Amino acid sequence: MAGQLRSPSSGRPSMADVAAHAQVSIGTVSNVLNSPDKVTDKTRRKVQASIAELGFVRNDAARSLAVGTSNAIGLVVADLGNSFFVDIARGAESVMRRHSLNVMITNSDVDREREVRNLELFEASRVAGIIFAPLDTPFAQSSLLPAPTTPIVLVNYESPTLAYAGVIVDEGHGGALAARHLLALGRRRLLFVGGPMFLTAVRARREGVAHAVAEIADAQLDTLEVGGLNLQHGRQAGHEIIRRGAGEYDAVIAASDLIAIGLIQVLNETPGFRVPVDVAVTGYDDNHFAAESAIPVTTVAQPGEEMGRAAAELLLQHIDDPSTPNRTITLEPHLVPRRSTLGDVWRQ
């Protein structure tokens, strides 16, 4: 009888047994368990009836062990010093914990060779899957990734060929949010500070800013490319802004919170460059220290925890069914206004 189907290895019904009983694919069973909104009500009821009749009990840890992997997934992040990646890890871990899977985290520390070693470590450990937040550099070398037998989901980076599923944020929209906020405050001489421009996120943020500035007839945009996204690059930019002279710009859009904090430190030491009276400043990422700096920084917040959760759900789908089509989920950032643009009007 169909109701007596059992997995030969465990004596318990498997997802394959459920699929055969319900006359659907294993992927459909996976969707019923993980993403029921993707399945019609009729199909969902049929699968659920088979689950009930067979007595199928989901065991996520056993699922990964059955294919010769551990009951853990690997998370490779670019920089744990950036709280954005900490938020991604927190979101991924919250999902995996509910599925009895552990999360092992490695920090590439903005080092390409270290990133490769971390990926190789997880491949050798035969983890159930990998969530990979790569360094934001030209990333065409697929040879850097483990063998395709290991399910991989990218986070904060989109595979140009959809070779991997992924979760990203609409960086262009984030840049536009910052620019429109400043333009609404009456600022018209804007400067974008960020770099290097080969970084995907920096380039997209700048394009979003340019698009918003182009909507206002009397608004102007200049660009100052710097060598990185850290505090020292912000301080260097601050000195360059001072060199160009008071009144040259009345607003600066920084590509990161650290750049914003560094240039604010320099500008506020010089008459004629008070923030935000003379120059309003926005950052990007909403790192935890952005709200705690001497002048709290208006910033564009990325939904780090939501990205981590979405990446984890995608990875579970690919672990359950490796034939699941790859797709990229795009999430929206939001503006967090603070004193660096609003002055005394701002209230926490």
Side-chain angles (χ1 to χ4, degrees), residues 268-311:
N268 265 0
E269 297 169 353
T270 307
F273 292 91
R274 291 171 301 164
V275 175
V277 177
D278 302 309
V279 183
V281 178
T282 65
Y284 206 106
D285 284 338
D286 196 25
N287 277 298
H288 297 170
F289 47 75
E292 300 169 0
S293 59
I295 297 179
V297 178
T298 292
T299 188
V300 176
Q302 301 199 76
E305 288 197 35
E306 186 181 356
M307 294 174 72
R309 290 192 297 269

Side-chain angles (χ1 to χ4, degrees), residues 63-70 126:
R63 172 191 59 197
S64 57
L65 288 170
V67 294
T69 59
S70 71
R126 304 194 69 183

Side-chain angles (χ1 to χ4, degrees), residues 22 24 28 32 36 39-49:
V24 298
T28 298
V32 170
V39 184
T40 65
D41 289 340
K42 180 180 178 181
T43 300
R44 184 166 61 250
R45 286 193 297 268
K46 182 166 65 171
V47 171
Q48 289 171 339

Side-chain angles (χ1 to χ4, degrees), residues 289-337:
F289 47 75
E292 300 169 0
S293 59
I295 297 179
V297 178
T298 292
T299 188
V300 176
Q302 301 199 76
E305 288 197 35
E306 186 181 356
M307 294 174 72
R309 290 192 297 269
E313 294 288 358
L314 280 177
L315 184 59
L316 287 172
Q317 292 175 23
H318 282 265
I319 292 172
D320 274 333
D321 181 8
S323 67
T324 300
N326 292 326
R327 62 191 179 101
T328 297
I329 297 174
T330 303
L331 303 178
E332 296 294 325
H334 65 277
L335 187 81
V336 182

Side-chain angles (χ1 to χ4, degrees), residues 208-276:
V209 171
H211 179 76
V213 170
E215 298 172 345
I216 305 299
D218 61 341
Q220 303 173 11
L221 175 64
D222 199 357
T223 299
L224 174 57
E225 182 173 2
V226 292
L229 300 170
N230 294 321
L231 196 69
Q232 67 267 30
H233 302 111
R235 293 187 63 85
Q236 292 166 5
H239 288 299
E240 175 60 22
I241 292 169
I242 291 171
R243 189 192 67 78
R244 296 183 182 187
E248 183 73 12
Y249 309 108
D250 58 13
V252 175
I253 299 172
S256 73
D257 290 330
L258 283 173
I259 288 178
I261 291 171
L263 66 86
I264 287 172
Q265 291 174 350
V266 172
L267 296 183
N268 265 0
E269 297 169 353
T270 307
F273 292 91
R274 291 171 301 164
V275 175

